[in-house]
Structure formats: C-alpha cells, structure tokens
Amino acid sequence: MVTELNESNFDQFVDSNSLAIIDCWAPWCGPCRRMGPIVEELASDLQGKAGVAKLNTDENQAIAVRFNINAIPTLLVFKDGVLVDTLVGLRPKEDIIAQLGL
Amino acid sequence: MDADVFVIGSGPSGVQAAIHAARKRASVVVAGKPSSSSMSGTEIENYFGSPPRPGDEILAEGIALAKSFGAAFLGQNVVSASAEDGRFRFSMEDGTEVVAKAAVIATGISRKSLGIPGEKDLFGKGVSYCAVCDCNFYRGRKAVVVGNDSEAAVSAELMTRYASETHWVAWDAEAEETLARKAAEAGAVMHASKPKAIEGDGKVERIVLEDGTIIPTDGVFIELGARSSADIAMDLGVMPEMDDSVKVGSDCSTEVPGVFACGDVTGRPWQVAKAVGQGCVAGMSAADYARKAE
C-alpha cells in the first residue's frame, strides 16, 4: 500500500526521501482512480530508489495551494526536498519512469 | 423505466446491438444522439452489401429496423451511471432514469480537445478537461466552461458553486434545456461564439473568442460532447485502458458481468463493418445475460 500523506507528515516524507513522488488525487476524479493502480505499481517498481506517496487534495487544500496545483491527477516530484517536476494528467507508468530519467 | 438491455450509443454498433438483442426478445432501450455518431455526415464506401452512400441514410434505416423489433430510442445522452445489486442504473439529460439487467457500451470515441492555440501548452496551468476533478482549485477564482452539450451545462452549473465568476462558451448550443437553464440561473454568463485561443504567460490569463470577446479568467474547462466513454465505463465498474478504450472478450463481455462493449470504444480499427459485427455479438450476449439475470 502507498502511504497517504496529510498536512502533518507531508514535509517529513519529502525530506526523508532523496527522491519523492507524490500522487495528488481526489475521490471524485475519474482519471485519478485510473492513476491509482499505476502509482501502486510505480511504488513497488521503484522500491529503494524513490519514496512514492499519495495526497488527497480535497482534504489537504493548503498543500495543493502551496504547490500551485490546478488539475489532478498531478505527480509532484521532489529531489532532495526540492520540487523539480510537476507531471499533470493521466499517463502510463513507462512514461512516468522515462520522464523521471530512471 | 426498466429494460433488459440498455445500449449506450446510437451509432452503427449500438443500433446493431439493439437489433440483435430485440430479436432475442429482450426489452431494449437505446441512449445517444445518432447525429453525434462518427458515421453521421460522412460517405460510407467500404461497407458490405452497400454501394457508397451517406452514413446518415444507413443509420436511419438501421434505427427504423431496430424500432420495428421493439427497441426504444431515447435520443438523449447518459448523464450518469451506476451499478448496484446486479442492476445498472442510468440518468438521462432530462432526468429520465433507466434500470437495466445488462448494459452495452457503444459510445464510440469522444473528441476531448478543441485544438486551439494555447490549449496544449496551458494544460494543467489553468486548462482542464474535467470540471468535476478540478473545480475545488478554483474557489474564488474565475472560470470559463467551453462546450455545446449537456456535459458543459452541468459543468458550468458546478463551477458557479466554486468560482467567483463563471462563463459558459457555447457556439452551437445543444444542451438539454433544463440543464442549460439551471446553469444560467446559477449565474453562468453565456457567450455564443467559438473559442479562438487561450492565452497567458505560464498560466491561463484569458480566452479569446472568434467574435473578438476577451474573457479574463484563471481556468478554462473544456467539456465537449457527452459524458465520456471512459467515465461511463468507470461508473459501471469497468477500468478503461490508457487510450480510453474498453477491453472485451470474444463475446464482447468486459471485466464486469452484465456489461458489454462494442464498436470504436473497444479500439481500432474504427470501421463501420467492425462496429456492426461487434454490435451483433454484444447485443446477443447482453440479451442472453439479461435472460439469465431474472
């Protein structure tokens, strides 16, 4: 299972993973529901290489505002605590891995 | 309204499914507007037994045939769907509810993008294709909904609950009247001109219409056509492929018992002949399933 983040553990997760990938989603979002299983796979494929987690933007609006999220699904990519990439929209796992240069 | 088989889509595949299901004595209800089939407005010149002729003619004859076997055509799109207790429930644009024992997804493929300057570059930076997904990010901001059909009307009404200002751009309005009125009464400002460009520096700042109107906005929600095939599939518990197609077995069944799919929505080739062939199989499979689901 992929870790669910919230306001209280978000920063800690980003800081404790040299590469952190956060799947921003909401329950009523169809494309997000399709992204779910892809992110699960990504998490197991990238075990040891990256920390993969989920963030419900409906319940954590302050974080969504902080990272300027306008559309979901969005993947936020952090390297050493710094936001380096924002991938918007549903996409296959292979595309995500290629985009991350892994 | 109850039905044995509910067919979503009234293109060649849905009509053939209706014909075969009705001939198996299933009660059949068909949703969708024939004019939005990709067969409409084209000349069909590679279809068995038929000299080159307008797609609309073939479609009209097919619908007349299906009706003669007892199929009912609603002429309306599905607004929402759900699956519970082995039954499939559908809401239509005018509020009609249909409960069916089996469902056939014959929606075809939907066009999602406008193809205007700025649209691609500003995707995720204010351009969205899902008002339901992204409305929450526009609290107190300005929003423009683009689209002619009921899906745009529903989206415009939704956005008025979040945005400080909602505009609805529909150049060839064909949304169901009640839904359109709801959006207008909720405060959506109407514009009857085609969008020309979406502009902004790194994020959406304005949309320009062909009549010269410039609407300053934070978001542009593109909601073309009817509820997408992918959304309807998911409503019914079927997970679409990445390209929005629905995977089917040789009997046109999907991963969900009682849900079948046929035609362009199952993937290439997007041909009338293939759509009709699969429609035959899906219609028969759905009628068989409905009979056993008594």
Side-chain angles (χ1 to χ4, degrees):
Chain A
M1 278 304 284
V2 175
T3 318
E4 276 285 350
L5 300 181
N6 54 46
E7 314 269 347
S8 68
N9 61 2
F10 185 90
D11 289 324
Q12 193 201 344
F13 184 88
V14 168
D15 291 340
S16 59
N17 287 280
S18 59
L19 178 60
I21 303 161
I22 322 284
D23 170 31
C24 302
W25 70 287
W28 59 76
C29 158
C32 299
R33 272 153 59 198
R34 294 165 71 184
M35 195 72 156
I38 295 169
V39 168
E40 297 274 345
E41 271 186 46
L42 202 62
S44 68
D45 287 6
L46 298 182
Q47 212 152 27
K49 284 187 196 162
V52 179
K54 291 166 79 78
L55 178 82
N56 182 326
T57 54
D58 185 31
E59 289 169 3
N60 300 285
Q61 290 183 27
I63 300 177
V65 170
R66 189 170 139 203
F67 294 104
N68 220 354
I69 294 170
N70 282 321
I72 46 178
T74 280
L75 293 180
L76 297 176
V77 183
F78 295 88
K79 268 189 188 141
D80 300 318
V82 179
L83 181 70
V84 291
D85 221 342
T86 303
L87 308 178
V88 185
L90 177 67
R91 58 187 79 210
K93 187 179 75 179
E94 296 70 30
D95 281 18
I96 299 167
I97 290 174
Q99 191 83 30
L100 295 172
L102 292 170
Chain B
M1 188 187 285
D2 284 345
D4 291 331
V5 176
F6 185 71
V7 180
I8 312 145
S10 52
S13 200
V15 173
Q16 192 71 51
I19 290 170
H20 274 85
R23 287 213 69 174
K24 276 188 161 260
R25 304 204 176 276
S27 64
V28 179
V29 176
V30 186
K33 298 172 182 170
S35 60
S36 46
S37 165
S38 54
M39 188 185 190
S40 174
T42 58
E43 183 89 353
I44 305 297
E45 42 194 36
N46 57 0
Y47 183 53
F48 173 81
S50 167
R53 60 191 288 227
D56 290 287
E57 275 182 29
I58 305 176
L59 211 46
E61 285 167 11
I63 289 169
L65 187 61
K67 282 181 178 167
S68 76
F69 294 131
F73 285 75
L74 300 175
Q76 285 189 61
N77 290 322
V78 169
V79 177
S80 68
S82 63
E84 51 194 86
D85 305 328
R87 290 290 185 272
F88 305 101
R89 189 178 289 274
F90 301 90
S91 296
M92 310 304 298
E93 290 170 274
D94 71 351
T96 304
E97 299 264 340
V98 182
V99 179
K101 291 174 185 161
V104 176
I105 304 171
T107 45
I109 39 171
S110 29
R111 194 175 71 105
K112 281 198 276 193
S113 64
L114 284 166
I116 59 173
E119 181 181 2
K120 221 173 167 182
D121 294 340
L122 294 169
F123 171 63
K125 296 168 182 148
V127 172
S128 164
Y129 295 93
C130 182
V132 174
C133 303
D134 301 332
C135 52
N136 212 9
F137 303 122
Y138 288 83
R139 282 176 195 275
R141 302 165 74 196
K142 293 178 189 162
V144 174
V145 175
V146 177
N148 291 320
D149 227 314
S150 293
E151 198 62 15
V154 171
S155 301
E157 196 272 329
L158 175 72
M159 289 315 300
T160 61
R161 295 185 233 162
Y162 294 86
S164 59
E165 193 179 310
T166 301
H167 297 261
W168 177 15
V169 175
W171 56 100
D172 189 11
E174 42 185 1
E176 200 275 328
E177 229 172 274
T178 320
L179 298 177
R181 198 178 331 119
K182 258 189 176 171
E185 281 170 7
V189 183
M190 302 290 304
H191 301 269
S193 174
K194 227 175 173 173
K196 193 171 153 193
I198 302 167
E199 297 174 351
D201 188 9
K203 62 180 170 58
V204 168
E205 289 168 14
R206 69 194 84 85
I207 183 168
V208 182
L209 309 184
E210 281 186 352
D211 68 1
T213 307
I214 296 169
I215 312 170
T217 186
D218 300 298
V220 174
F221 293 84
I222 299 165
E223 297 282 355
L224 305 177
R227 186 167 177 75
S228 78
S229 55
D231 286 340
I232 291 174
M234 274 192 293
D235 288 346
L236 298 175
V238 178
M239 187 64 96
E241 301 295 298
M242 288 307 293
D243 63 358
D244 284 359
S245 68
V246 172
K247 214 193 267 175
V248 289
S250 56
D251 59 352
C252 286
S253 60
T254 66
E255 60 185 296
V256 175
V259 179
F260 302 84
C262 52
D264 288 357
V265 73
T266 68
R268 287 172 191 271
W270 296 330
Q271 294 292 324
V272 174
K274 176 255 194 177
V276 164
Q278 273 192 332
C280 159
V281 176
M284 293 173 94
S285 299
D288 286 344
Y289 182 90
R291 190 182 317 117
K292 288 177 197 147
E294 293 298 344

